[in-house]
Amino acid sequence: MRRCRVSGLRPVAAPFVAAAPAGARVRTRLRVSARDAEVLEAAGTHLGSLAGRDLAARCAEGRLDAKGKAGSRAVRKRALTAESSSRWAGAITRTSEDQYRLAGQNLRAGQASLQARIRRIEARLAVPAGGKSGRTRGYATAAERHAKAIRLRSLKARLARADRRLAAGTVSVVRGGRALLRKRANLAAAGLDEDRWRAEWESARLFLTADGEKDKSLGNETIRWHPGEGWLEIRLPAPLAHLANRPHGRYRLSCPVEFSYRGDEVAAQTATGAVRYDISRGPASGRWYLDASWKTSPAPAATLDELRASPVMAVDVNAGHLAVAVVAADGNVLGTPATIPLDLAGLPAATRDGRLRAGISALIATAKEHGARAIVIEDLDFAEARSEGRERHGNRPSRGRRGRAFRRLVAGIPTGKLRDRLVQMAANAGLHVIVVDPAYTC
């Protein structure tokens, strides 16, 4: 009797309702005067220099346990208070701790990526050139095999450096961003001149962040916005107290400030809880912005059975577009399936973000038009393909023109950002998001 060979199939994950975001963030523009801009820049530059000094001190201390972190932050906060204030110092030390933690996460992610690439190359080098062992293919030619052997030594050297840094707790953080710092070495390729790069660098290194306090007036003692009167005040650092135009070292902006989007929610939060404020400057336009953020208590998510009783909108994420269809409770498609363009390749970050938001807004509008209560999206995850990079092979091209095209294709699909933004914007619109296994969309 002939025996059938059954290949291993991965299990299909069960669908689930994505949890609503546990925070909110709203932005508005500050139409400041020349004097306001001078004061904000002076305060941001002074606090930015303190933040850079504190971050360097925190990185030099390396890995600390919980008790060591608390003690280190207390010492650094006392040192900063004399040059700013207790609340500014608290925000600076908290930010430094967050940056150190995130840098450690990035270093561990880089370590995992290097390990995945090394494993893949070693497995293929174990097979002769042009040969095959089980499901593993050797490299096509002896020349390619030799080049990969050289690359393997390079990757192992990088992994050894990452291992030593992790063991010592040594991380590298660039205030302003490593990508912007690297542009300084080749301004022509980045399309910048020295003055413009300097403006972007200085804007990125400003520090005007104030953590909220629940039991304080208007939810924040350092940066305060009054929703009824529309003014914004900041508490100046001690060395800049001579610039104040209000009592107790405060400076009130000359322009009225209001949140045109979700302003009622910001006003309600200032009356009942803590609000964090971030003031930033756009390097290209020179415009100033105010961001208000706070924690929320999302309502319990609806169950799958409740959402299945109503129409849902199914979304298939593709390179360059989203395929959309509204499905009734009986499984029939309502109306005509639509395509929403989402071409993000080669665009600046701000433009990509705007197009992503516009695409999600179109999804939400289509869902509401057909009475859908939920948006169904596939749980795409290219983590393995991204971690192995060009070492990835199998049924995916890994080298040559096709390999480069595939890697650009994978990098151009905003799976993580799309899902996160969709969950947040859908929650604001009163919709739910159901996440399903990609097998449903094959």
Side-chain angles (χ1 to χ4, degrees):
M1 181 177 179
R2 186 176 180 180
R3 182 175 297 177
C4 296
R5 180 180 178 183
V6 180
S7 60
L9 300 176
R10 69 171 180 85
V12 177
F16 62 93
V17 181
R25 188 180 182 96
V26 185
R27 165 170 285 198
T28 188
R29 181 182 171 186
L30 299 175
R31 302 183 182 276
V32 299
S33 65
R35 176 61 175 172
D36 295 340
E38 291 177 4
V39 174
L40 290 177
E41 183 173 3
T45 302
H46 175 74
L47 293 169
S49 66
L50 298 181
R53 191 175 70 192
D54 182 72
L55 179 60
R58 177 61 188 93
C59 291
E61 292 175 339
R63 185 182 297 107
L64 300 172
D65 56 15
K67 185 176 180 180
K69 290 178 183 177
S72 168
R73 185 179 178 187
V75 172
R76 291 184 287 113
K77 184 177 177 181
R78 282 195 297 268
L80 293 172
T81 299
E83 300 181 71
S84 54
S85 71
S86 176
R87 292 183 175 88
W88 281 123
I92 289 173
T93 53
R94 190 265 309 160
T95 302
S96 296
E97 193 63 48
D98 290 345
Q99 289 177 316
Y100 178 86
R101 176 178 52 81
L102 290 175
Q105 291 180 3
N106 293 337
L107 187 58
R108 286 188 289 273
Q111 179 193 46
S113 177
L114 289 170
Q115 291 171 344
R117 297 178 189 213
I118 289 172
R119 285 195 301 268
R120 181 66 67 179
I121 293 178
E122 288 179 337
R124 299 190 69 181
L125 286 178
V127 181
K132 184 179 180 181
S133 176
R135 301 184 64 179
T136 303
R137 292 182 179 274
Y139 289 105
T141 64
E144 183 183 7
R145 191 174 188 275
H146 176 68
K148 289 298 183 180
I150 296 176
R151 176 168 170 78
L152 178 62
R153 290 196 293 269
S154 174
L155 293 177
K156 285 186 174 180
R158 289 169 55 187
L159 178 61
R161 290 195 297 269
D163 291 340
R164 289 194 298 268
R165 292 175 60 189
L166 281 172
T170 305
V171 300
S172 176
V173 185
V174 179
R175 291 196 66 252
R178 194 181 303 274
L180 183 58
L181 178 62
R182 287 174 176 168
K183 291 180 181 179
R184 181 65 181 87
N186 196 345
L187 296 176
L192 300 172
D193 55 28
E194 187 172 352
D195 292 338
R196 184 177 172 186
W197 180 89
R198 178 63 58 183
E200 292 191 12
W201 180 251
E202 292 176 352
S203 295
R205 290 169 65 86
L206 296 176
F207 187 93
L208 287 169
T209 296
D211 296 332
E213 297 170 282
K214 182 178 179 181
D215 298 325
K216 298 298 181 180
S217 174
L218 299 177
N220 198 309
E221 279 287 315
T222 309
I223 300 177
R224 292 194 299 188
W225 173 67
H226 195 289
E229 301 178 9
W231 50 256
L232 181 73
E233 286 183 355
I234 68 170
R235 173 71 179 272
L236 295 175
L240 301 179
H242 62 280
L243 300 177
N245 59 8
R246 302 291 296 178
H248 309 295
R250 295 185 175 275
Y251 184 86
R252 179 176 295 185
L253 300 185
S254 60
C255 60
V257 178
E258 63 177 3
F259 289 88
S260 57
Y261 174 67
R262 300 178 68 183
D264 54 342
E265 297 181 34
V266 184
Q269 182 65 24
T270 60
T272 59
V275 184
R276 165 179 162 166
Y277 292 108
D278 295 86
I279 300 176
S280 59
R281 181 179 63 187
S285 61
R287 297 173 179 174
W288 291 86
Y289 299 93
L290 174 69
D291 292 86
S293 54
W294 63 94
K295 293 182 179 180
T296 60
S297 299
T303 64
L304 284 173
D305 292 336
E306 294 174 350
L307 298 177
R308 285 168 176 162
S310 303
V312 298
M313 187 177 70
V315 180
D316 187 19
V317 182
N318 302 281
H321 72 280
L322 303 174
V324 179
V326 179
V327 182
D330 57 5
N332 292 318
V333 177
L334 300 178
T336 304
T339 299
I340 298 177
L342 196 64
D343 189 7
L344 309 178
L347 298 176
T351 305
R352 292 198 304 269
D353 185 73
R355 291 195 178 184
L356 185 61
R357 290 178 179 272
I360 295 175
S361 297
L363 290 178
I364 294 174
T366 303
K368 287 191 169 184
E369 180 182 354
H370 291 82
R373 288 190 59 196
I375 299 175
V376 181
I377 189 169
E378 51 193 334
D379 190 10
L380 288 176
D381 185 11
F382 293 111
E384 187 176 5
R386 289 191 172 107
S387 66
E388 295 182 359
R390 59 183 175 180
E391 313 307 335
R392 180 79 172 163
H393 82 296
N395 59 349
R396 302 286 195 272
S398 60
R399 61 190 180 92
R401 183 179 302 173
R402 293 180 63 242
R404 290 192 296 272
F406 173 73
R407 290 194 294 274
R408 284 196 297 268
L409 182 69
V410 170
I413 301 178
T415 53
K417 283 189 176 181
L418 176 62
R419 184 175 57 194
D420 294 343
R421 292 281 171 82
L422 177 61
V423 170
Q424 184 171 12
M425 294 177 67
N428 295 339
L431 300 176
H432 296 81
V433 175
I434 301 175
V435 183
V436 300
D437 193 284
Y440 286 108
T441 60
C442 290

